Amino acid sequence: MKPIYLDNNATTACDPAVVEAMLPFFTEQFGNASSIHSFGAQVGKAIKQARMQVQSLLGAAHDSEIVFTSCGTESDSTAILSALKANPERRTVITTVVEHPAILTLCTYLEKENYVVHRLRVDRRGRIDLDEYKSLLNERVAIVSAMWANNETGTLFPVEEMAEMAHEKGIVFHTDAVQAVGKVAIDLKNSKIDMLSLSGHKLHAPKGIGVLYVRRNTRFRPLLRGGHQERGRRAGTENSASIVGLGVACELAQQHLVDANRSVKQLRDRLERGILAKVGNAFVNGDTLYRLPNTASIAFEYVEGEGILLLLNRQGIAASSGSACTSGSLEPSHVMRAMAIPYTAAHGTIRFSLSRYNTAEEVDRVIAAVPPVIAQLRKISPYWSGDGPLANPAQMFQPEYA
Amino acid sequence: MIDDARFQTFGCGSAIASSSALTEIIKGKTLDEALQVSNQDIADYLDGLPPEKMHCSVMGREALQAAVANYRGETWNDDHEEGDLVCKCFAIDAPMIESTVRANRLRTLEEVANYTKAGGGCSACHEKIEDILIAVNGRLYASQATPGTARSTPAEGSGKPKLTNYQRIRKIEETLEAIRPTLQRDHGDVTLVGSRRQEDLRRTHRRLPGLCDGGRHPGRRPAETHRSLGRTGTGAAGSRARPRVTFIRQERP
Ligand code: FES
């Protein structure tokens, strides 16, 4: 049976049209865009076109605001470090507790370097408190970095509003939009967002290519120095094939933005409803009213996510879980912990993330596959007995000796 | 005699597999025999576990100890503490490093590697170990190995100290001990057959029992074993005074 890929927030398949557009840039179009001869000139033109395709998807005012990088993580690091270097008298960073590790790990490191980091908390649905945010904005803050969409739950932050609030205080606003680009409409020229990160492989372009959008007149300090590429803002020979691929992927994303997202959302809702109708003690995580159209984060109580994933994988279904067990203690993801999801539910959280390539038949196969998997694992769960959870935790781990 | 054994777990895939393996292994054993089952036995039964999942096999063994204690009406104390895995090369976690640093007043990366092995391999974990040293000591002391403070070694011949035969064998044994856990995770082991001076042969012979028995590890050929030993082994050897494994002869069972 054909495998079913529902892990598109982790990475996506390259669109065949993307691959086709890239291929010549490995062979006949191998030139260096900086060269004066014709080998280079063609490549330069192709990069220019890709830059405009990205610009168009983001609704940026100028194509020179698009800086190609190697990945979302590089874009995130560049944005935050740039703001700190360009505004040395400001030593505070505001972010949220549910950011991607690309932001959080960097922030923890900055604290070691004596920067101050405020991490906005979220409620049970993963929403931040705008009043708390407002109270933290002052002239000591160099940059606010908040994700547009959460990778685990799909919850959207009101980044446009947050950017305006930061702008009023003269604070640079950056958003990690790696999960949002291509899934929500973005119009940067009519926003106060100063910097935005995107990653190619989340929208059917290859891995190893990213973008940092830098609004014109934003004070900027490059992370990589050493060449004039990207107008000196990101030195290093351009990854021309991937840049071309990303351009095509952005154009496709723009074409599909409205209709694909409508149908993807229908599939996602069908999946959620179908599973929840058949599996008890399960619920959807995140802000169900304001989230990505493709993401379903479902908590199956009293079972552990990795077991679910392994059993689904046997049936050719790929998803991902909200917990990682890499140390002695089972740790649910920082996102689940931030939302105060009880650990018996956080560990059993599965993220299904769809793309425009998924079909209704696939969704129905998953709806059929999930309930027996959960039932099988609940049989060995110490929190479960018969067909319901144990009411009294003291009953747990009662060995029988025959 | 254990007729039947079953388990419950709210754990990851490796925890489920470890629990299941344990219940299979102990069937037909007496309680005392079952208590001899080590976490390595569990990992072996599963054809190995990655370093960050080894603790799952430890939990399996502890579950058995707890069950036996419970059956015998004894109390069993869980004195086992595990935390974030810091050093992947040697599967050493943060609490282990921290308590060793405290107990022995360790100050440098080198000392940590000497006491715990952590950091003695690929060195990718050095930043995390430094963080622990700073957390415990309040600051980072300069490593002895930094240029300028390098310890002087008695110059003689090529600059390396001459070892007596006994010292040489001791060093080899130490090195083998350091890499043994890594080999065992791959179902291998190593014994010293004999050694000759580099000047004589530039080779040191070892015997690796149990490796590459074809059936259980199809695909793991001697060449791969050599490579993985070369990586972890010579890395583990660390200090330049120690002999390096330069050749391994393997005997097929
Ligand atoms: S991870 Fe610690 S030495 Fe390699």
Side-chain angles (χ1 to χ4, degrees), chain A residues 61-83:
Chain A
H62 311 280
D63 68 348
S64 59
E65 293 172 326
I66 306 300
V67 179
F68 290 113
T69 65
S70 68
C71 59
T73 302
E74 184 194 325
S75 301
D76 287 346
S77 272
T78 306
I80 292 184
L81 295 173
S82 166

PDB file of all heavy atoms in Angstrom, chain A residues 61-83:
ATOM      1  N   ALA A  61       7.741  44.849  -0.302  1.00  0.00           N
ATOM      2  CA  ALA A  61       7.733  46.022  -1.171  1.00  0.00           C
ATOM      3  C   ALA A  61       8.857  45.964  -2.207  1.00  0.00           C
ATOM      4  O   ALA A  61       8.680  46.417  -3.336  1.00  0.00           O
ATOM      5  CB  ALA A  61       7.853  47.283  -0.322  1.00  0.00           C
ATOM      6  N   HIS A  62      10.017  45.422  -1.853  1.00  0.00           N
ATOM      7  CA  HIS A  62      11.176  45.432  -2.751  1.00  0.00           C
ATOM      8  C   HIS A  62      11.805  44.049  -2.809  1.00  0.00           C
ATOM      9  O   HIS A  62      11.878  43.373  -1.784  1.00  0.00           O
ATOM     10  CB  HIS A  62      12.233  46.414  -2.241  1.00  0.00           C
ATOM     11  CG  HIS A  62      11.686  47.753  -1.905  1.00  0.00           C
ATOM     12  ND1 HIS A  62      11.420  48.715  -2.849  1.00  0.00           N
ATOM     13  CD2 HIS A  62      11.310  48.283  -0.714  1.00  0.00           C
ATOM     14  CE1 HIS A  62      10.921  49.788  -2.260  1.00  0.00           C
ATOM     15  NE2 HIS A  62      10.846  49.554  -0.964  1.00  0.00           N
ATOM     16  N   ASP A  63      12.301  43.685  -3.991  1.00  0.00           N
ATOM     17  CA  ASP A  63      12.956  42.368  -4.043  1.00  0.00           C
ATOM     18  C   ASP A  63      14.290  42.386  -3.297  1.00  0.00           C
ATOM     19  O   ASP A  63      14.778  41.355  -2.855  1.00  0.00           O
ATOM     20  CB  ASP A  63      13.102  41.863  -5.491  1.00  0.00           C
ATOM     21  CG  ASP A  63      14.084  42.685  -6.306  1.00  0.00           C
ATOM     22  OD1 ASP A  63      14.476  43.777  -5.837  1.00  0.00           O
ATOM     23  OD2 ASP A  63      14.445  42.246  -7.414  1.00  0.00           O
ATOM     24  N   SER A  64      14.879  43.560  -3.099  1.00  0.00           N
ATOM     25  CA  SER A  64      16.147  43.631  -2.363  1.00  0.00           C
ATOM     26  C   SER A  64      15.956  43.360  -0.874  1.00  0.00           C
ATOM     27  O   SER A  64      16.929  43.265  -0.124  1.00  0.00           O
ATOM     28  CB  SER A  64      16.782  45.006  -2.546  1.00  0.00           C
ATOM     29  OG  SER A  64      15.895  45.999  -2.082  1.00  0.00           O
ATOM     30  N   GLU A  65      14.717  43.229  -0.440  1.00  0.00           N
ATOM     31  CA  GLU A  65      14.488  42.902   0.978  1.00  0.00           C
ATOM     32  C   GLU A  65      14.614  41.397   1.243  1.00  0.00           C
ATOM     33  O   GLU A  65      14.551  40.962   2.387  1.00  0.00           O
ATOM     34  CB  GLU A  65      13.089  43.381   1.400  1.00  0.00           C
ATOM     35  CG  GLU A  65      12.968  44.897   1.397  1.00  0.00           C
ATOM     36  CD  GLU A  65      11.533  45.370   1.623  1.00  0.00           C
ATOM     37  OE1 GLU A  65      10.586  44.700   1.173  1.00  0.00           O
ATOM     38  OE2 GLU A  65      11.353  46.429   2.245  1.00  0.00           O
ATOM     39  N   ILE A  66      14.763  40.621   0.170  1.00  0.00           N
ATOM     40  CA  ILE A  66      14.854  39.161   0.300  1.00  0.00           C
ATOM     41  C   ILE A  66      16.332  38.760   0.363  1.00  0.00           C
ATOM     42  O   ILE A  66      17.086  39.012  -0.568  1.00  0.00           O
ATOM     43  CB  ILE A  66      14.205  38.455  -0.919  1.00  0.00           C
ATOM     44  CG1 ILE A  66      12.772  38.940  -1.130  1.00  0.00           C
ATOM     45  CG2 ILE A  66      14.283  36.936  -0.782  1.00  0.00           C
ATOM     46  CD1 ILE A  66      11.840  38.688   0.023  1.00  0.00           C
ATOM     47  N   VAL A  67      16.742  38.138   1.449  1.00  0.00           N
ATOM     48  CA  VAL A  67      18.118  37.674   1.600  1.00  0.00           C
ATOM     49  C   VAL A  67      18.084  36.149   1.657  1.00  0.00           C
ATOM     50  O   VAL A  67      17.447  35.579   2.550  1.00  0.00           O
ATOM     51  CB  VAL A  67      18.749  38.225   2.904  1.00  0.00           C
ATOM     52  CG1 VAL A  67      20.169  37.716   3.065  1.00  0.00           C
ATOM     53  CG2 VAL A  67      18.709  39.744   2.915  1.00  0.00           C
ATOM     54  N   PHE A  68      18.744  35.504   0.710  1.00  0.00           N
ATOM     55  CA  PHE A  68      18.773  34.040   0.735  1.00  0.00           C
ATOM     56  C   PHE A  68      19.791  33.558   1.759  1.00  0.00           C
ATOM     57  O   PHE A  68      20.911  34.072   1.844  1.00  0.00           O
ATOM     58  CB  PHE A  68      19.106  33.482  -0.653  1.00  0.00           C
ATOM     59  CG  PHE A  68      17.991  33.678  -1.642  1.00  0.00           C
ATOM     60  CD1 PHE A  68      18.137  34.537  -2.722  1.00  0.00           C
ATOM     61  CD2 PHE A  68      16.779  33.017  -1.469  1.00  0.00           C
ATOM     62  CE1 PHE A  68      17.101  34.721  -3.621  1.00  0.00           C
ATOM     63  CE2 PHE A  68      15.737  33.197  -2.376  1.00  0.00           C
ATOM     64  CZ  PHE A  68      15.899  34.057  -3.462  1.00  0.00           C
ATOM     65  N   THR A  69      19.378  32.556   2.533  1.00  0.00           N
ATOM     66  CA  THR A  69      20.252  31.963   3.554  1.00  0.00           C
ATOM     67  C   THR A  69      20.246  30.450   3.343  1.00  0.00           C
ATOM     68  O   THR A  69      19.688  29.968   2.357  1.00  0.00           O
ATOM     69  CB  THR A  69      19.727  32.276   4.970  1.00  0.00           C
ATOM     70  OG1 THR A  69      18.461  31.623   5.139  1.00  0.00           O
ATOM     71  CG2 THR A  69      19.562  33.774   5.185  1.00  0.00           C
ATOM     72  N   SER A  70      20.822  29.736   4.294  1.00  0.00           N
ATOM     73  CA  SER A  70      20.881  28.284   4.121  1.00  0.00           C
ATOM     74  C   SER A  70      19.689  27.574   4.737  1.00  0.00           C
ATOM     75  O   SER A  70      19.427  26.429   4.419  1.00  0.00           O
ATOM     76  CB  SER A  70      22.157  27.727   4.740  1.00  0.00           C
ATOM     77  OG  SER A  70      22.105  27.856   6.137  1.00  0.00           O
ATOM     78  N   CYS A  71      18.970  28.220   5.653  1.00  0.00           N
ATOM     79  CA  CYS A  71      17.859  27.530   6.317  1.00  0.00           C
ATOM     80  C   CYS A  71      17.145  28.497   7.253  1.00  0.00           C
ATOM     81  O   CYS A  71      17.603  29.611   7.479  1.00  0.00           O
ATOM     82  CB  CYS A  71      18.365  26.341   7.130  1.00  0.00           C
ATOM     83  SG  CYS A  71      19.547  26.784   8.409  1.00  0.00           S
ATOM     84  N   GLY A  72      16.042  28.044   7.809  1.00  0.00           N
ATOM     85  CA  GLY A  72      15.290  28.858   8.751  1.00  0.00           C
ATOM     86  C   GLY A  72      16.106  29.198   9.986  1.00  0.00           C
ATOM     87  O   GLY A  72      16.043  30.315  10.503  1.00  0.00           O
ATOM     88  N   THR A  73      16.859  28.243  10.458  1.00  0.00           N
ATOM     89  CA  THR A  73      17.656  28.474  11.667  1.00  0.00           C
ATOM     90  C   THR A  73      18.678  29.580  11.442  1.00  0.00           C
ATOM     91  O   THR A  73      18.863  30.450  12.299  1.00  0.00           O
ATOM     92  CB  THR A  73      18.359  27.166  12.084  1.00  0.00           C
ATOM     93  OG1 THR A  73      17.357  26.171  12.302  1.00  0.00           O
ATOM     94  CG2 THR A  73      19.168  27.355  13.341  1.00  0.00           C
ATOM     95  N   GLU A  74      19.326  29.552  10.293  1.00  0.00           N
ATOM     96  CA  GLU A  74      20.286  30.623  10.007  1.00  0.00           C
ATOM     97  C   GLU A  74      19.571  31.965   9.962  1.00  0.00           C
ATOM     98  O   GLU A  74      20.068  32.971  10.479  1.00  0.00           O
ATOM     99  CB  GLU A  74      21.020  30.373   8.680  1.00  0.00           C
ATOM    100  CG  GLU A  74      22.093  31.428   8.441  1.00  0.00           C
ATOM    101  CD  GLU A  74      22.641  31.451   7.013  1.00  0.00           C
ATOM    102  OE1 GLU A  74      22.751  30.396   6.390  1.00  0.00           O
ATOM    103  OE2 GLU A  74      22.948  32.566   6.538  1.00  0.00           O
ATOM    104  N   SER A  75      18.402  31.997   9.342  1.00  0.00           N
ATOM    105  CA  SER A  75      17.664  33.253   9.261  1.00  0.00           C
ATOM    106  C   SER A  75      17.322  33.764  10.657  1.00  0.00           C
ATOM    107  O   SER A  75      17.466  34.954  10.947  1.00  0.00           O
ATOM    108  CB  SER A  75      16.374  33.049   8.450  1.00  0.00           C
ATOM    109  OG  SER A  75      16.679  32.603   7.149  1.00  0.00           O
ATOM    110  N   ASP A  76      16.872  32.861  11.522  1.00  0.00           N
ATOM    111  CA  ASP A  76      16.513  33.262  12.888  1.00  0.00           C
ATOM    112  C   ASP A  76      17.726  33.832  13.623  1.00  0.00           C
ATOM    113  O   ASP A  76      17.648  34.892  14.254  1.00  0.00           O
ATOM    114  CB  ASP A  76      15.978  32.053  13.666  1.00  0.00           C
ATOM    115  CG  ASP A  76      14.575  31.649  13.215  1.00  0.00           C
ATOM    116  OD1 ASP A  76      13.925  32.452  12.514  1.00  0.00           O
ATOM    117  OD2 ASP A  76      14.133  30.543  13.573  1.00  0.00           O
ATOM    118  N   SER A  77      18.826  33.112  13.564  1.00  0.00           N
ATOM    119  CA  SER A  77      20.032  33.579  14.259  1.00  0.00           C
ATOM    120  C   SER A  77      20.489  34.916  13.700  1.00  0.00           C
ATOM    121  O   SER A  77      20.853  35.824  14.448  1.00  0.00           O
ATOM    122  CB  SER A  77      21.177  32.573  14.090  1.00  0.00           C
ATOM    123  OG  SER A  77      21.117  31.602  15.093  1.00  0.00           O
ATOM    124  N   THR A  78      20.471  35.033  12.375  1.00  0.00           N
ATOM    125  CA  THR A  78      20.908  36.282  11.757  1.00  0.00           C
ATOM    126  C   THR A  78      20.053  37.438  12.251  1.00  0.00           C
ATOM    127  O   THR A  78      20.573  38.500  12.609  1.00  0.00           O
ATOM    128  CB  THR A  78      20.803  36.182  10.219  1.00  0.00           C
ATOM    129  OG1 THR A  78      21.530  35.038   9.783  1.00  0.00           O
ATOM    130  CG2 THR A  78      21.362  37.420   9.552  1.00  0.00           C
ATOM    131  N   ALA A  79      18.738  37.238  12.294  1.00  0.00           N
ATOM    132  CA  ALA A  79      17.827  38.316  12.671  1.00  0.00           C
ATOM    133  C   ALA A  79      18.103  38.799  14.089  1.00  0.00           C
ATOM    134  O   ALA A  79      18.274  39.995  14.340  1.00  0.00           O
ATOM    135  CB  ALA A  79      16.376  37.830  12.544  1.00  0.00           C
ATOM    136  N   ILE A  80      18.172  37.866  15.010  1.00  0.00           N
ATOM    137  CA  ILE A  80      18.300  38.270  16.415  1.00  0.00           C
ATOM    138  C   ILE A  80      19.680  38.861  16.681  1.00  0.00           C
ATOM    139  O   ILE A  80      19.812  39.917  17.308  1.00  0.00           O
ATOM    140  CB  ILE A  80      18.008  37.067  17.333  1.00  0.00           C
ATOM    141  CG1 ILE A  80      16.523  36.726  17.209  1.00  0.00           C
ATOM    142  CG2 ILE A  80      18.387  37.371  18.773  1.00  0.00           C
ATOM    143  CD1 ILE A  80      16.060  35.632  18.102  1.00  0.00           C
ATOM    144  N   LEU A  81      20.713  38.207  16.181  1.00  0.00           N
ATOM    145  CA  LEU A  81      22.064  38.718  16.432  1.00  0.00           C
ATOM    146  C   LEU A  81      22.266  40.066  15.747  1.00  0.00           C
ATOM    147  O   LEU A  81      22.943  40.952  16.276  1.00  0.00           O
ATOM    148  CB  LEU A  81      23.108  37.694  15.972  1.00  0.00           C
ATOM    149  CG  LEU A  81      23.078  36.386  16.779  1.00  0.00           C
ATOM    150  CD1 LEU A  81      24.015  35.357  16.164  1.00  0.00           C
ATOM    151  CD2 LEU A  81      23.447  36.641  18.235  1.00  0.00           C
ATOM    152  N   SER A  82      21.663  40.230  14.587  1.00  0.00           N
ATOM    153  CA  SER A  82      21.772  41.510  13.895  1.00  0.00           C
ATOM    154  C   SER A  82      21.156  42.633  14.729  1.00  0.00           C
ATOM    155  O   SER A  82      21.767  43.692  14.923  1.00  0.00           O
ATOM    156  CB  SER A  82      21.078  41.428  12.535  1.00  0.00           C
ATOM    157  OG  SER A  82      20.887  42.726  12.011  1.00  0.00           O
ATOM    158  N   ALA A  83      19.962  42.395  15.234  1.00  0.00           N
ATOM    159  CA  ALA A  83      19.298  43.441  16.019  1.00  0.00           C
ATOM    160  C   ALA A  83      20.111  43.804  17.252  1.00  0.00           C
ATOM    161  O   ALA A  83      20.194  44.972  17.638  1.00  0.00           O
ATOM    162  CB  ALA A  83      17.894  42.979  16.414  1.00  0.00           C
TER     163      ALA A  83
END
